[in-house]
Amino acid sequence: MAIFEGEWLEEARAIIARYPEGRERSAVMPLLYLAQSVDGHVTRGALQEVASLIGVRTAEVEAVASFYTMLRLRPTGTHLIAVCTNLSCALRGASEVYEAAHRATGIPHGGEVSDDGDFTVHEEECLGVCEHAPVVQVNVANHDRVTPERVTEIVAALRGGEVPEPARGPAVDSFKTASRILAGLEPLDETLAEGANA
Ligand code: FES
């Protein structure tokens, strides 16, 4: 089944219309985020559809999609828990946080999605806020100075339908919502934060 149908096709056209005529290929990132917001990850079909919409080869779209870790090419749970394990975070206990995230979600190493479909745990490179190490992103929202206990609490809260408040910016209720924000299709304001916690 095609992804860009109905309202999603209209949104895809609106995204392409943000760019000057002849520069449609510049819409590749927001189109991939839109596709990800529909299926929860970027499928092979989505790569082909995006390529067709902007008039480039599928391999070119795949090259972009495989470069950015915010774009997921593999099945992904409702919530994406990304643990930075780069140097600053590693020095401040990121490995223990990463292990705790696996334990709390029940995902074995090498696994993609928890059995209940709620979580994916991802090992992330430097998230650019090393002074707050160790850093965890929950649906792309940053949580600072996270301990193993805190990541366990975050997972429990998400299981209970709550969205823990991040260190800055809005709380995001799912990876699909985060993908719509990254596509520029959702407001990045307090309304979203309130809605996410409602
Ligand atoms: S090393 Fe983790 S945020 Fe930079």
Side-chain angles (χ1 to χ4, degrees):
M1 194 177 102
I3 291 167
F4 296 120
E5 290 184 320
E7 63 186 285
W8 290 312
L9 180 56
E10 282 173 33
E11 287 183 329
R13 287 187 177 135
I15 286 171
I16 293 169
R18 294 174 191 164
Y19 300 90
E21 208 175 319
R23 303 284 175 87
E24 290 81 3
R25 63 168 51 208
S26 299
V28 63
M29 290 290 286
L31 286 174
L32 286 167
Y33 286 130
L34 171 59
Q36 183 164 263
S37 79
V38 177
D39 276 337
H41 73 288
V42 180
T43 62
R44 174 130 297 268
L47 295 173
Q48 291 164 348
E49 283 186 58
V50 169
S52 158
L53 278 169
I54 59 177
V56 301
R57 289 179 298 134
T58 303
E60 292 176 89
V61 177
E62 188 169 9
V64 173
S66 60
F67 183 78
Y68 294 99
T69 57
M70 304 89 78
L71 291 162
R72 299 262 320 157
L73 292 169
R74 294 193 292 276
T76 299
T78 304
H79 304 291
L80 179 65
I81 312 273
V83 182
C84 175
T85 54
N86 217 299
L87 185 58
S88 297
C89 289
L91 291 172
R92 293 182 58 87
S95 299
E96 288 78 10
V97 174
Y98 184 58
E99 292 304 324
H102 277 283
R103 270 197 308 278
T105 56
I107 304 172
H109 284 284
E112 298 286 350
V113 182
S114 58
D115 288 344
D116 53 14
D118 285 348
F119 298 99
T120 289
V121 173
H122 169 70
E123 192 170 12
E124 188 59 84
E125 293 300 322
C126 181
L127 292 165
V129 280
C130 313
E131 70 273 29
H132 300 303
V135 178
V136 171
Q137 283 189 337
V138 178
N139 301 325
V140 193
N142 276 22
H143 292 252
D144 298 344
R145 299 187 181 91
V146 176
T147 60
E149 294 73 25
R150 180 60 188 148
V151 80
T152 304
E153 283 171 13
I154 288 172
V155 168
L158 291 167
R159 272 213 180 94
E162 290 170 41
V163 185
E165 208 59 43
R168 61 197 82 77
V172 183
D173 63 357
S174 70
F175 184 55
K176 286 185 178 180
T177 302
S179 300
R180 283 188 64 79
I181 293 169
L182 291 166
L185 295 167
E186 295 288 342
L188 194 59
D189 60 16
E190 291 307 311
T191 312
L192 178 63
E194 286 165 18
N197 281 307

